[in-house]
Amino acid sequence: MNAAYAVTPNWTVKGGVAKAFKAPNLYQLSDKYVYTTRGNGCPYPYYRNGPCYVLGNSDLEPETSINSEIGVAYNNAAGVNATLTYFHNDYKDKIGTGNVPPEYVLPGEEGGEANVQVFQWFNVPEAVISGLEGNLLFPVTSTIEWSTNFTVMLESEDKSTGQPLSIVPDYTVNSLISWQATDALELVLSAQHYGETESPTASVNSGAVIEADDREAYTITNINAIYAFDENLSFNVSVKNLFNESVKREGTQASNAGANTFNEPERSFLLSATYQF
């Protein structure tokens, strides 16, 4: 359900509420389907050096979420367009495994210590994501246009563990300036700025305290030129990561890399042609 109210010819207030669900996969629902972690260990606090096994669960409920948002929008005859929106997403019954004691424990050889644990899929009670989104489109001149959008994360948390729901920056800003230099040539300068990314405080496998630093803020700058040879054929020349910003992966979350779990590609060049008919 969504609604919009035009307060004035230029200002509009918008709001909406939606409910969504995600059904379990067939292998998650089957009591006769089991897979192994292939020696990667079991999640904390049931960690062992050997593999653990995960069994389907016919009692699983679908993941559900209540997604709500409210915002304002502004536009005028000069082409200025701006929006600001607050969003809040509550998740319930998220499908997961490993955070409850194992349903079964198989004994070791000759009655020794148990060496295999069998978990079942289950529904995680609650998780939440909330934040702000904004957008601004501003015609600088008849041939130059500036646009910017941003996202600010206010909350992203697995309520059952208190850990971040996903490794995402505190905020992200995307901005570009487009110049229609001639009827055939367009030049675009763009940048993506990523704010500090919070590191989880505990390993997903061992439960050990993660001492890795948060990922510092960084900016990736790109430039590209689009040339329309005629109404059918166009060429695009791009330089990605123009200033060769170095962002390196230090490992995985399980290996205590914290938020430093991904790379940004180094400077690259792209030449492409498009033909429409």
Side-chain angles (χ1 to χ4, degrees), residues 14-36:
K14 300 179 180 182
V17 178
K19 184 172 182 178
F21 80 96
K22 177 183 177 182
N25 295 319
L26 290 177
Y27 69 84
Q28 293 172 328
L29 281 170
S30 174
D31 292 324
K32 295 180 174 60
Y33 187 92
V34 64
Y35 80 93
T36 175

Side-chain angles (χ1 to χ4, degrees), residues 100-233:
V100 294
E103 187 73 14
Y104 312 100
V105 177
L106 303 183
E109 295 181 4
E110 299 180 358
E113 183 181 355
N115 61 1
V116 174
Q117 298 185 100
V118 181
F119 295 82
Q120 273 195 309
W121 292 100
F122 78 116
N123 292 113
V124 179
E126 293 183 81
V128 63
I129 294 176
S130 66
L132 294 169
E133 293 180 337
N135 180 76
L136 173 63
L137 175 63
F138 185 80
V140 180
T141 70
S142 60
T143 59
I144 299 177
E145 189 174 80
W146 172 50
S147 65
T148 296
N149 64 72
F150 70 87
T151 302
V152 178
M153 299 302 299
L154 301 177
E155 190 174 13
S156 176
E157 182 180 350
D158 181 339
K159 292 294 187 179
S160 63
T161 64
Q163 295 296 309
L165 192 61
S166 57
I167 299 178
V168 295
D170 291 338
Y171 63 92
T172 305
V173 180
N174 300 287
S175 188
L176 69 82
I177 295 177
S178 172
W179 176 33
Q180 192 69 46
T182 69
D183 290 341
L185 178 63
E186 181 183 10
L187 302 175
V188 180
L189 177 66
S190 63
Q192 295 84 43
H193 178 76
Y194 302 93
E196 184 177 73
T197 303
E198 179 185 2
S199 170
T201 59
S203 168
V204 294
N205 287 108
S206 67
V209 174
I210 292 179
E211 298 180 355
D213 295 331
D214 297 339
R215 169 153 280 177
E216 296 181 354
Y218 65 94
T219 302
I220 302 295
T221 304
N222 313 295
I223 189 169
N224 68 300
I226 304 119
Y227 180 76
F229 184 78
D230 56 30
E231 62 181 11
N232 302 111
L233 180 63

Side-chain angles (χ1 to χ4, degrees), residues 3-22:
Y5 177 69
V7 181
T8 72
N10 301 116
W11 288 93
T12 303
V13 176
K14 300 179 180 182
V17 178
K19 184 172 182 178
F21 80 96
K22 177 183 177 182

